[in-house]
Amino acid sequence: MKAEIIPELRRHIVQYMDFDTLKTFSLVSKACYLDAHPILWEHFSCKVPWKNLTSPEEYIAWLYKIHRNARSFKHIYYMEYDARRPEIGDILLDRCHSLATIEVTVAMIDRWNPYRHWEETLRPLVEQNRVSLRRLKLLVRDIPFVASLQLPSLLSTLSRLQSLELNLEQMPVEDLLPVLDACPSSLEHLDLRPTLRRRKITLEDSVTHPHQSPGTTAASLRLKHLHIHSISHEGTLEDVLSRLAAYTLEELKIDTISNVTYPIQISPTLRDALWQLTDLHLENIHPSPGRGAPLILDAIQPHHLRHVNMSKLDTECTTKLIEQQYGSLESLNVGFLRGHAGALADILATCVKLKKLVFAAKPFVDIQTLIDPQHPWGCTELEVFNGVFGLTRITPSPPPSSDSRGLNDAERSSQVEDQFMQRLGKLTKLRRLVQQVAFVDRSMTAEIDRGTMAWSLSSGLAQLRSLANLKTFMFAHQDLPKGIGVPEMTFIKKHWHGLRILACNEINNSDLEEWLATEWPELKVTLLAK
């Protein structure tokens, strides 16, 4: 039996769709198109072509031209020079009554008064669209007294606001916390980009803040996504997290936090706020043993975290990820992998749902640490393998040595690479394979290369014949390995049917370049050095 939505219900549903969803909905059927088309014209989505507008006069002409078929905007980008022409504000207030997204800038322009501009145009624009408004982006720049804008009283009226981005330069934390307390319960996404003046506040002070709005509770924000940028302030992180309702936050992204005093033990309120996290992004956070990132990882529900992006992953964090999140982790992006040599091997062995792995190391992860027979790779779902890995090749002054089996250094290296290729070849769902350049430590007496591998048929490339789904094969910041020649590319063309991109700095092989141009012209060869 074919299920259909009655027309009356369908026409009611489209009233609550944003512009992008409405466009997609209009393509479903003829009936959906007829229901969505009038609303698409009524709430025209405009992105002002600033590159083509050189003066306020041209902007005004563009406004009148676009408004011939539209009674109101869904999107608005309010630039600084608009303040010099009062009629622009009058046009917007007269025609825009059902905006879904507003992006405004309050800034000092020459000797013009930004507070008057805010009170006469920008604030009324937000207030008259408070019912339809879903997303608000506010940039306050070079304003000495942000508190005079009275943001808490404005935010408390936006009952349907879902996304809020605040870029409040030089705003003291005592003014930020009342803004957070005034946010409506409908808010799901909060993006804070403040450059805060330092002020030490304890966690207890943040719960009972003297500036807190009356009638609000400390844990009232039912956020799903929280993004905090560029905070250099002691205690601000705890202040924000303590205002989150329990079991609602799904994504936490923190960029560039320094001078943060982390508590030794996480409070029950913060644990409840972080319990349901599925996405965790921690960038440029100063390491603190037993605190910081390890503390946040302890607060997350076991086997619930799916995506992790961290600038540094030390031994303690690696251990907690493996012990607590190995059953759910799907994406791991590590800016700097450090700690014990087998950290990456443990991740590859235990994280069975891992689909994306991006990592860096100094100087690089030696593939000899990844081929331990006691740690077979369990990440058979891996689709992206992107990292700084290679094979250590030391060229000492004495002649090359041989081991007890009679293998010299070159033969042992080839054997190690072959075993690594054998494991890599079992990742049949791999779609992107990237070997990044390794860091060279100039202080070492022995001459150590950048971990370059041969990638030749004699060193194990034949083990990768099962990578038929591979689409991108890249050597980032380095030339194509010398071991890859015409025989190797012939093998790749025969077995890697899905390959579309080959990327490297340079191809220092004229025969191979000629072969690629004549035998495989459909392959996109990208030279990153050019």
Side-chain angles (χ1 to χ4, degrees):
M1 180 178 180
K2 185 178 180 181
E4 294 184 358
I5 303 178
I6 58 176
E8 292 80 4
L9 181 59
R10 190 172 60 243
R11 285 191 288 269
H12 179 73
I13 292 175
V14 298
Q15 301 293 331
Y16 297 91
M17 293 182 180
D18 57 31
F19 186 78
D20 294 332
T21 305
L22 201 60
K23 289 193 296 185
T24 305
F25 178 80
S26 66
L27 302 176
V28 174
S29 64
K30 184 177 180 180
C32 295
Y33 173 80
L34 295 176
D35 291 334
H37 190 262
I39 303 179
L40 285 173
W41 277 106
E42 178 181 351
H43 304 293
F44 187 85
S45 176
C46 75
K47 185 175 181 179
V48 181
W50 297 114
K51 293 182 179 180
N52 301 327
L53 303 178
T54 59
S55 66
E57 289 74 15
E58 292 185 5
Y59 179 34
I60 293 175
W62 181 86
L63 283 175
Y64 280 113
K65 180 180 179 181
I66 203 67
H67 276 303
R68 292 175 182 174
N69 294 322
R71 294 202 306 267
S72 62
F73 280 163
K74 270 282 187 180
H75 301 266
I76 178 172
Y77 297 80
Y78 204 88
M79 297 299 289
E80 298 173 4
Y81 66 68
D82 299 348
R84 300 185 180 128
R85 297 295 299 267
E87 60 266 34
I88 295 179
D90 296 338
I91 295 173
L92 295 174
L93 291 174
D94 177 60
R95 298 175 182 266
C96 300
H97 297 277
S98 57
L99 301 182
T101 299
I102 295 181
E103 299 185 14
V104 294
T105 299
V106 183
M108 295 293 292
I109 308 172
D110 298 332
R111 298 180 180 179
W112 172 75
N113 186 355
Y115 305 107
R116 180 179 178 182
H117 177 48
W118 167 258
E119 292 295 334
E120 294 182 355
T121 302
L122 299 184
R123 186 183 180 100
L125 181 67
V126 175
E127 290 177 343
Q128 76 178 17
N129 292 277
R130 60 182 180 274
V131 176
S132 60
L133 194 61
R134 299 294 185 270
R135 177 175 178 266
L136 175 61
K137 179 178 179 180
L138 179 61
L139 170 61
V140 179
R141 191 169 61 196
D142 300 328
I143 302 296
F145 305 104
V146 184
S148 61
L149 301 181
Q150 299 181 352
L151 295 179
S153 61
L154 175 64
L155 294 175
S156 61
T157 64
L158 307 179
S159 58
R160 296 185 179 182
L161 192 66
Q162 297 176 356
S163 177
L164 176 62
E165 181 176 335
L166 296 177
N167 193 334
L168 309 175
E169 295 186 0
Q170 301 301 323
M171 185 177 191
V173 68
E174 56 266 28
D175 294 334
L176 174 65
L177 297 180
V179 173
L180 299 180
D181 294 329
C183 291
S185 58
S186 60
L187 196 66
E188 297 182 356
H189 181 97
L190 177 60
D191 198 329
L192 296 176
R193 300 172 179 262
T195 305
L196 299 174
R197 291 199 290 266
R198 295 182 58 184
R199 175 180 179 270
K200 188 172 182 179
I201 294 181
T202 63
L203 184 59
E204 291 75 15
D205 293 335
S206 68
V207 176
T208 58
H209 197 277
H211 295 276
Q212 185 171 319
S213 301
T216 61
T217 60
S220 59
L221 295 178
R222 304 184 62 84
L223 297 179
K224 291 184 179 180
H225 311 277
L226 175 60
H227 192 175
I228 306 176
H229 305 254
S230 304
I231 294 182
S232 178
H233 160 73
E234 297 179 355
T236 303
L237 179 60
E238 292 83 6
D239 295 335
V240 176
L241 294 180
S242 64
R243 281 161 165 74
L244 302 182
Y247 314 128
T248 60
L249 192 65
E250 297 178 1
E251 179 184 7
L252 175 62
K253 187 172 183 180
I254 305 174
D255 295 342
T256 318
I257 292 188
S258 60
N259 302 321
V260 174
T261 304
Y262 294 99
I264 299 177
Q265 293 182 349
I266 195 166
S267 66
T269 301
L270 297 183
R271 183 178 295 276
D272 292 342
L274 302 176
W275 183 252
Q276 293 289 340
L277 272 185
T278 60
D279 293 52
L280 179 62
H281 305 259
L282 303 178
E283 296 290 338
N284 300 325
I285 296 182
H286 290 197
S288 179
R291 303 181 179 184
L295 194 67
I296 293 177
L297 290 173
D298 275 336
I300 302 174
Q301 179 182 353
H303 305 300
H304 196 74
L305 196 61
R306 295 168 52 195
H307 307 284
V308 176
N309 190 325
M310 301 179 68
S311 59
K312 296 180 181 180
L313 187 62
D314 55 15
T315 302
E316 186 177 6
C317 291
T318 303
T319 303
K320 290 184 180 296
L321 273 179
I322 294 174
E323 291 179 352
Q324 301 173 7
Q325 306 295 340
Y326 69 88
S328 59
L329 199 61
E330 297 180 7
S331 173
L332 178 61
N333 191 328
V334 183
F336 179 51
L337 183 66
R338 66 179 182 180
H340 61 90
L344 185 60
D346 294 339
I347 293 173
L348 292 171
T350 57
C351 299
V352 294
K353 292 185 178 181
L354 195 64
K355 295 182 179 180
K356 179 181 179 180
L357 177 60
V358 181
F359 62 93
K362 181 181 179 180
F364 56 86
V365 175
D366 197 325
I367 61 174
Q368 296 186 66
T369 63
L370 306 179
I371 58 174
D372 186 355
Q374 297 181 357
H375 293 82
W377 292 4
C379 54
T380 56
E381 301 293 321
L382 199 64
E383 297 179 0
V384 177
F385 190 84
N386 183 343
V388 182
F389 62 93
L391 181 60
T392 301
R393 301 176 185 273
I394 302 180
T395 307
S397 53
S401 61
S402 300
D403 60 10
S404 58
R405 294 171 296 176
L407 298 177
N408 57 34
D409 292 335
E411 291 172 339
R412 285 202 309 270
S413 298
S414 180
Q415 187 181 58
V416 169
E417 189 169 344
D418 182 80
Q419 295 176 9
F420 174 75
M421 295 290 187
Q422 185 178 1
R423 296 201 174 196
L424 198 61
K426 294 181 180 180
L427 307 179
T428 57
K429 297 184 179 181
L430 205 62
R431 300 171 63 88
R432 183 178 177 86
L433 178 58
V434 181
Q435 184 188 26
Q436 299 182 31
V437 70
F439 173 81
V440 179
D441 193 345
R442 305 290 184 184
S443 64
M444 300 189 67
T445 57
E447 182 184 352
I448 299 181
D449 66 2
R450 309 170 93 180
T452 303
M453 298 164 54
W455 294 95
S456 62
L457 290 174
S458 60
S459 62
L461 184 63
Q463 304 281 2
L464 304 183
R465 61 172 55 89
S466 59
L467 302 185
N469 294 318
L470 194 66
K471 293 186 177 297
T472 301
F473 189 34
M474 179 183 296
F475 297 92
H477 311 296
Q478 58 182 313
D479 296 341
L480 191 71
K482 297 179 180 180
I484 299 181
V486 174
E488 283 74 18
M489 290 306 302
T490 303
F491 169 83
I492 290 175
K493 181 181 179 181
K494 179 180 178 181
H495 296 282
W496 297 0
H497 308 295
L499 190 64
R500 297 293 181 268
I501 299 175
L502 174 65
C504 61
N505 278 0
E506 294 286 349
I507 300 179
N508 299 316
N509 189 330
S510 58
D511 294 337
L512 180 58
E513 289 181 327
E514 183 179 353
W515 184 91
L516 288 172
T518 56
E519 300 296 331
W520 204 352
E522 60 272 16
L523 179 66
K524 182 179 179 181
V525 179
T526 303
L527 300 180
L528 305 176
K530 295 184 178 181

